[in-house]
Amino acid sequence: MTATIKPALLMLVHRIPYPPNKGDKIRSFNLLKNLSQQYRIYLACFVDDPYDEQYIGELNHWCAEVCCIRLSKKQAMLRGLTAFISNKAVTLPYYYDAAMQRWINSKITQQHISQVLVYSSAMAQYVQDKPALTTKVIDFVDIDSDKWLQYSRRSQGIKRWFYRREARLLQRYEIEICQQFNKSLFVSEDEASAFRQLLPKMVHSKVHSLSNGVDIEYFDPLAELPDAELKLPADYLVFTGAMDYWANVDAVCWFCREVWPTLRQHYPRLHFLIVGGNPHADVKALSQFAGVIVTGRVADVRPYLHAALFAVAPMLIARGIQNKVLEAMAMNKAVICTPMAMEGINAPLTAHTQIADNANNFTALCLSMLATPSQNNVNRQWVIQHFSWQYTLSRLSRFITAEAA
C-alpha cells in the first residue's frame, strides 16, 4: 500500500524556532510542530544567537529540509542602513539575505510549492513576487510597527526620530503585505481588531486572530522538575523573559526603580529574581539593588517559577500576548501585571490575577499579596481551558488550505 505523500509547505521564520525558550520562538515552534503533521515543511530561518546553532539539527524532526543562516547583527545593521537610501523600514534589509532568497526560489521550483506561511513581516519580502505561490498566509503575531511607535514615546532625540520613522514605514509595509496575502494572522482578537482599523474595509475579512498557547504538560506544577542552577532564596518574586529584549529590560528597570524599594523596605528578606538569557547591561546593573538577583540564561525556567511567591509582569511596552504570563499561570502562580501585559489574555480579575496601571497601584497590590498569600488558585485551570496549544491551534490548518484564497 503506497503511503500518502504530504503536500509541501514553505515556512519562513525570522528566528530559528527551536528551542522554544522565548516568546516568538515558542509560537513559531508550535506552529511548525502542528503543521508538520499535515505538510512536508521546507523551513528557512535565521540564527541570531550562537547558542542556538547547536539545535539546527533538531529541526529535522519536523522539516523535510532546512535553510538556517547565521545572522551577524553587525552585518545586518549595515544592511539595514541601506533603508535610508531606499526609503524602506530598516527591518527589511536587516533581514534580507541573498543566499536565503536563492534557496527559497529553488525550493518553490523543485518541490512545486504553492503554499507558504510567513512568520513575522520581515520575512514576507522573500515571497512577494512569486506567482507560483497561490496561498500566502502571514502570521504577523502582533503589530510590530506599533512597538516601534511605543519605543519612540519612551525615547528622545535621534532615537525618537529613528523609531518614529521605522514605525511609519513598517506600518506602510504591513498594510501592503496584508493586501497582497490571502490571510493575515494575529496573536489575539485585540491585536487583529487594532490592525483592521489601519486597513480599507474591503480587506478586513483577511485579518484573523490565532491565539498563543502554553504547553500545559510541560508547565505543570505537579510535574517532576529539575533543580534550579542557583540556590533559591526562601521568599522571592519572579520575572521571566529574554533579557536583551528592550520591552523586558524596560519592565524590570521600571519595577526595580519604582516598586522594589518599598517592597524591600517592608520585607527585608524578600528577593526579586530576573530570569532570562543575555541580560542587557542595564539589567545586570540592577543587581546593585538589595535583594535583586539577575540569573542570566537558565536551562529551565520552571523551578524558578514553581518556588516563587508570585510572578510580576510590569510591561510598559508590549503588543500581543505575553507568554511569561501564561507560563506563570500554567504553573498555578498568582500574577500581578500591567494592563499591557494582560492584553490578549484578558483573564478575569481574581485574588490570583491582578492588574495595576501605575507604580503606586503595583506596589500596593504586591504588598497586599505578600501580606495575604492567595488560596485556591485557579489560574492553571483557566489557562488549560483557554490557552492550551491543542485548543488555540485547532483552526490553523484551515488558514493554509487552498480555501484560504
Side-chain angles (χ1 to χ4, degrees), residues 78-95:
L78 289 174
R79 289 198 305 268
L81 294 177
T82 64
F84 292 97
I85 300 172
S86 58
N87 196 34
K88 293 180 178 179
V90 170
T91 299
L92 300 183
Y94 185 97
Y95 280 105

Side-chain angles (χ1 to χ4, degrees), residues 221-324:
L222 299 181
E224 185 176 347
L225 302 178
D227 293 331
E229 294 95 327
L230 305 177
K231 182 179 180 181
L232 298 176
D235 298 316
Y236 67 89
L237 315 184
V238 67
F239 176 96
T240 61
M243 295 318 305
D244 55 353
Y245 179 47
W246 188 18
N248 289 338
V249 175
D250 180 73
V252 294
C253 287
W254 177 84
F255 182 81
C256 286
R257 288 194 312 266
E258 305 296 331
V259 177
W260 181 248
T262 302
L263 302 187
R264 182 72 177 187
Q265 181 181 357
H266 283 77
Y267 295 90
R269 295 185 179 181
L270 185 66
H271 288 75
F272 176 45
L273 266 62
I274 301 171
V275 181
N278 302 324
H280 186 275
D282 290 348
V283 176
K284 292 179 180 179
L286 298 176
S287 297
Q288 298 173 9
F289 284 83
V292 174
I293 299 173
V294 179
T295 69
R297 192 192 303 274
V298 300
D300 193 330
V301 301
R302 292 176 300 166
Y304 298 87
L305 284 168
H306 183 65
L309 297 175
F310 56 87
V312 296
M315 312 303 293
L316 302 180
I317 300 171
R319 293 297 325 179
I321 287 179
Q322 297 296 312
N323 287 323
K324 59 176 63 66

Side-chain angles (χ1 to χ4, degrees), residues 140 142-145 170-171 173-179 184-186 189-200 203-204 207 319:
F140 283 105
D142 46 39
I143 308 174
D144 270 342
S145 57
L170 190 56
Q171 183 185 99
Y173 184 69
E174 289 166 341
I175 293 171
E176 175 186 323
I177 290 302
C178 179
Q179 293 174 324
S184 295
L185 308 180
F186 287 88
E189 186 53 38
D190 291 347
E191 204 76 0
S193 179
F195 190 71
R196 289 189 195 103
Q197 305 312 307
L198 306 175
L199 303 170
V203 293
H204 281 198
V207 180
R319 293 297 325 179

